């Protein structure tokens, strides 16, 4: 047991205790001994610090406990905080003693290289690694930055339901469930409810998990992902694009300010992030198709961009690109048609640089009741289930817009990760629901 006058603290707060005696509670990240001196890398969830133990200071018995330590065993260490510029976090602990809580035997993730499948099977333990730890901290800051941006711009958070009778983004990716004596779905997007909330509260957002039975096995698709969705009353496509680009830029800025240490662990190349600034370049879908054709890609107006197409488009700039005005036929029923060319809908996507593809999707909504009804019928959606939504066009309909930003895609881009599976603690994919 640590002496009573020793203050318990965390690695993150060591700078407040220079020269003082503290106790740290954590896990063994690594340890090595040179007979009389022991070096313990202690991980406590807030960081990693080196603890130096000498047999003389801690005594024979405690030193023997140290020598028996294994990777990820849990323990408390107490000693003096020493400032040391050569140490990774700038501090080191000169230990006076330690107690073991539990000896971990045969921790499966060793410092050697493991395959992805093995690591994914051990995701519940893999999260303890330095790299996964860094990603989770960046994700946390991204979410905080999003909330701060929206909250400080008078957006009101209104939670939307997870269980819903309505399809938002087509019927092919719906997860169905038995809901007592009827059927319902897991939500694909909170958008339709957001539209109701925007008519009540003006500028709103929802932020929650969304679900898609995506058959796509790509590095950008999860079946459960988190999406922030702002929705603005009295806002057109251009206003929508401005909100979206400001949000993206402010999130990048925040991570650069706060997460320098994590970006270093992730070996993220910083200049591409440091260059991000509004306004982002804009390109219509039609211009994007011309660009692809100009580069020799066989792509016809009317098709949906694949990952490879998005990469070619995004390579035209160092900035994220706002692509707007898509063929109505490939977009959802709720999108407002372009008055200048009714073949197109007033949708917009943001494509991230460095080949990360679409991170934001949204647009202006159809506010006219008859046009919306026509689109519902064309898509074979049940009018009955959407009556509540149609009411929004019957009672004080106004131009309005919104968008959704996928958190995992943004985390993958900002952290520079090859796959979205590392962007969320427990990813759900077509072939994985465990652990
Ligand atoms: O473009 P999407 O489908 O747009 C909507 O859902 C709109 N209803 C949002 C709105 O206007 N309120 O999805 C929005 C974003 C995409 O740009 C992408 O970042 C992310 O959600 N996303 C996914 N992320 C991971 N895995 C998937 N399967 C995703 N599908 C979409
Ligand atoms: Mg989209």
């Amino acid at each position: 047991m640590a002496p009573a006058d020793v203050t318990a603290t965390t690695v993150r707060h060591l700078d407040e205790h220079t020269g003082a005696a503290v106790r740290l509670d954590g896990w063994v990240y690594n340890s090595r001994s040179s007979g009389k001196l022991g070096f313990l890398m202690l991980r406590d969830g807030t960081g990693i610090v080196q603890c130096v133990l000498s047999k003389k200071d801690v005594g024979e018995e405690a030193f023997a406990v140290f020598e028996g330590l294994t990777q990820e065993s849990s323990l408390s260490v107490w000693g003096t905080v020493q400032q040391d510029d050569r140490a990774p976090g700038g501090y080191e602990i000169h230990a006076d003693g330690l107690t073991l809580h539990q000896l971990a035997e045969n921790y499966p993730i060793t410092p050697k290289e493991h395959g992805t499948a093995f690591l994914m099977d051990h995701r519940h333990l893999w999260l303890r690694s330095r790299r996964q730890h860094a990603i989770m901290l960046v994700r946390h800051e991204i979410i905080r930055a999003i909330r701060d941006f929206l909250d400080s711009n008078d957006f009101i958070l209104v939670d939307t339901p997870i269980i819903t009778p309505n399809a938002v983004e087509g019927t092919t990716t719906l997860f169905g469930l038995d809901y007592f004596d009827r059927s319902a779905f897991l939500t694909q997007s909170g958008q339709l409810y957001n539209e109701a909330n925007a008519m009540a509260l003006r500028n709103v957002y929802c932020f929650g998990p969304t679900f898609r039975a995506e058959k796509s096995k790509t590095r950008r698709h999860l079946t459960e992902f988190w999406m922030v969705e702002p929705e603005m009353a009295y806002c057109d496509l251009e206003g929508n694009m401005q909100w979206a680009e400001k949000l993206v830029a402010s999130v990048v800025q925040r991570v650069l300010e706060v997460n320098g240490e994590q970006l270093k662990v992730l070996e993220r190349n910083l200049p591409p992030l440091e260059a991000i600034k509004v306004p982002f370049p804009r390109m219509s879908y039609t211009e994007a198709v011309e660009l692809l054709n100009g580069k020799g890609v066989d792509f016809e107006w009317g098709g949906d961009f694949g990952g490879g197409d998005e990469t070619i488009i995004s390579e035209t700039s160092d900035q994220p690109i706002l692509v707007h005005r898509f063929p109505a036929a490939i977009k959802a029923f709720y999108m407002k048609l372009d008055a200048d060319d009714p073949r197109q809908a007033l949708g917009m996507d943001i494509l991230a640089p460095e080949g990360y593809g679409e991170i934001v999707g949204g647009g202006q909504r159809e506010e006219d009741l008859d046009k919306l009804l026509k689109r519902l019928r064309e898509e074979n959606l049940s009018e009955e289930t959407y009556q509540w939504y149609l009411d929004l066009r019957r009672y004080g309909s106004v131009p309005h817009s919104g968008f959704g930003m996928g958190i995992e895609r943004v985390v993958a881009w900002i952290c520079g990760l090859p796959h979205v599976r590392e962007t969320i603690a427990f990813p759900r994919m077509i072939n994985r629901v465990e652990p």
Side-chain angles (χ1 to χ4, degrees):
M1 282 276 284
D5 59 338
V6 165
T7 324
T9 187
T10 54
V11 173
R12 193 191 170 97
H13 290 284
L14 285 177
D15 59 345
E16 297 158 25
H17 300 274
T18 312
V22 299
R23 189 191 83 224
L24 294 170
D25 305 323
W27 296 262
V28 175
Y29 194 71
N30 212 333
S31 70
R32 66 191 163 87
S33 168
S34 69
K36 292 197 175 77
L37 266 192
F39 300 93
L40 166 69
M41 296 301 282
L42 181 82
R43 175 183 82 70
D44 81 340
T46 73
I48 297 179
V49 68
Q50 172 159 278
C51 306
V52 183
L53 300 86
S54 77
K55 200 184 277 188
K56 183 166 64 65
D57 294 341
V58 301
E60 294 273 345
E61 204 180 318
F63 203 79
V65 173
F66 162 75
E67 288 195 306
L69 287 177
T70 50
Q71 194 187 343
E72 288 304 321
S73 289
S74 48
L75 78 168
S76 296
V77 179
W78 55 94
T80 311
V81 181
Q82 307 267 337
Q83 194 165 2
D84 183 346
D85 292 337
R86 291 160 309 169
Y91 294 90
E92 205 171 71
I93 304 293
H94 284 206
D96 294 324
L98 78 168
T99 44
L100 180 68
H101 300 304
Q102 194 256 334
L103 193 69
E105 288 181 78
N106 303 321
Y107 185 70
I109 304 178
T110 56
K112 74 165 197 205
E113 288 272 311
H114 294 284
T116 305
F118 179 87
L119 290 170
M120 290 303 292
D121 286 342
H122 294 85
R123 184 68 177 159
H124 51 293
L125 302 176
W126 188 22
L127 287 170
R128 302 179 188 191
S129 78
R130 207 190 277 262
R131 175 180 160 90
Q132 300 308 314
H133 181 263
I135 296 169
M136 288 305 120
L137 288 190
V138 175
R139 180 186 170 104
H140 169 77
E141 197 59 46
I142 286 172
I143 292 174
R144 188 159 45 183
I146 291 167
R147 297 270 323 247
D148 285 347
F149 175 86
L150 293 170
D151 294 348
S152 65
N153 280 291
D154 290 340
F155 281 73
I156 308 295
L157 172 70
V158 187
D159 302 313
T160 50
I162 303 292
I163 300 173
T164 171
N166 300 105
V168 189
E169 300 298 326
T171 49
T172 55
T173 63
L174 284 169
F175 274 116
L177 63 128
D178 290 333
Y179 193 76
F180 303 103
D181 53 359
R182 55 163 298 176
S183 71
F185 309 110
L186 293 177
T187 186
Q188 296 166 309
S189 155
Q191 181 196 318
L192 305 187
Y193 297 98
N194 257 349
E195 291 181 51
N197 297 334
M199 299 305 134
L201 292 140
R202 192 89 188 201
N203 287 0
V204 296
Y205 67 103
C206 62
F207 199 154
T210 45
F211 307 86
R212 303 215 186 153
E214 298 268 13
K215 300 271 166 27
S216 336
K217 227 166 134 180
T218 79
R219 60 196 188 89
R220 297 174 185 172
H221 288 90
L222 295 168
T223 53
E224 176 180 311
F225 61 96
W226 284 68
M227 183 157 56
V228 61
E229 297 181 80
E231 188 74 29
M232 295 75 71
Y234 289 104
C235 180
D236 63 7
L237 178 66
E238 178 53 32
N240 197 28
M241 293 198 282
Q242 288 175 15
W243 278 119
E245 66 187 350
K246 278 194 266 180
L247 173 63
V248 170
S250 80
V251 168
V252 171
Q253 189 53 42
R254 171 72 75 80
V255 173
L256 286 171
E257 279 163 25
V258 173
N259 295 112
E261 209 179 306
Q262 286 74 41
L263 294 173
K264 204 165 160 193
V265 169
L266 297 167
E267 296 173 5
R268 180 63 163 102
N269 185 24
L270 296 183
L273 292 180
E274 287 162 349
I276 305 296
K277 58 172 195 309
V278 294
F280 297 163
R282 279 127 167 91
M283 188 188 286
S284 70
Y285 169 91
T286 303
E287 287 164 346
V289 173
E290 284 161 9
L291 173 92
L292 288 172
N293 292 157
K295 301 230 178 233
V297 181
D298 182 21
F299 188 97
E300 253 183 73
W301 197 100
D304 215 348
F305 299 133
D309 305 319
E310 287 181 353
T311 301
I312 295 172
I313 297 165
S314 64
E315 275 166 359
T316 57
S317 173
D318 295 338
Q319 297 294 324
I321 297 185
L322 271 158
V323 183
H324 57 87
R325 294 180 170 80
F326 291 85
I330 57 164
K331 289 292 175 186
F333 73 95
Y334 54 71
M335 275 207 192
K336 186 176 171 66
L337 300 181
D338 187 353
D340 297 333
D341 181 352
R343 289 181 313 154
Q344 347 193 96
L346 299 179
M348 63 98 175
D349 281 358
I350 293 184
L351 306 183
E354 302 174 80
Y356 278 91
E358 181 194 332
I359 51 170
V360 166
Q364 189 169 343
R365 323 305 189 188
E366 183 55 72
E367 81 253 29
D368 181 85
L369 179 63
D370 295 328
K371 288 184 185 154
L372 192 56
L373 266 172
K374 184 163 169 279
R375 287 289 289 131
L376 267 179
R377 288 175 191 143
E378 281 168 5
E379 300 285 320
N380 283 319
L381 294 164
S382 133
E383 272 173 54
E384 197 192 325
T385 327
Y386 291 88
Q387 281 308 319
W388 71 268
Y389 182 66
L390 296 170
D391 270 355
L392 307 175
R393 277 66 178 173
R394 293 187 181 108
Y395 306 113
S397 191
V398 302
H400 62 291
S401 303
F403 61 91
M405 181 165 88
I407 302 308
E408 289 74 19
R409 299 235 184 126
V410 172
V411 175
W413 164 46
I414 293 182
C415 290
L417 309 177
H419 198 294
V420 287
R421 67 183 159 229
E422 287 182 72
T423 62
I424 183 164
F426 294 99
R428 296 291 171 251
M429 291 173 290
I430 184 165
N431 52 2
R432 180 171 292 279
V433 283
E434 285 100 8

